[in-house]
Amino acid sequence: MNPELSKKICTQCGAKCCYFGGPSVTEEERQTIIQAGHPDHFIAKKVNDKTFYDVKDDHGKCPYLKDNLCSVHDVRPLVCRTWPVESAWKGKEHKTIVLECPLTPHLSPADLETMKKQ
């Protein structure tokens, strides 16, 4: 998808997806964000002996959201890059879900396939 169109749509929407509290990220994603000069807004958590990081939300808002734009856009984590496509597990069954979002109608079939593979 065209990044400028994406930015315009997200700004008009008010970036509502960024009010879900912020994503969980891997150590590598966390380090990439920090090394790019952004503040460390992460809290470590252990899941099955692996460490992941939750973004400390700012009253439900991702702290990297500034003026309805992502301030870490160039180094944003995978879950943000693939929005509005999400992975979901129901028991042992994996599903890919395309969520309702102002971006959804603008995603081409190729965009959707790429996001699903990621």
Side-chain angles (χ1 to χ4, degrees), residues 48-109:
N48 297 331
D49 295 327
K50 287 188 175 186
T51 302
F52 291 88
Y53 297 85
D54 282 337
V55 174
K56 295 180 212 171
D57 67 80
D58 179 15
H59 304 293
K61 179 183 103 173
C62 178
Y64 295 110
L65 183 67
K66 307 291 182 212
D67 299 321
N68 292 335
L69 290 173
C70 178
S71 64
V72 297
H73 192 267
D74 291 342
V75 292
R76 69 194 184 281
L78 180 63
V79 69
C80 299
R81 288 192 314 262
T82 60
W83 181 266
V85 177
E86 281 199 344
S87 284
W89 291 91
K90 186 174 184 179
K92 293 183 179 182
E93 185 180 351
H94 177 257
K95 294 185 176 194
T96 303
I97 302 167
V98 181
L99 301 166
E100 189 59 38
C101 166
L103 286 175
T104 304
H106 301 278
L107 296 173
S108 70

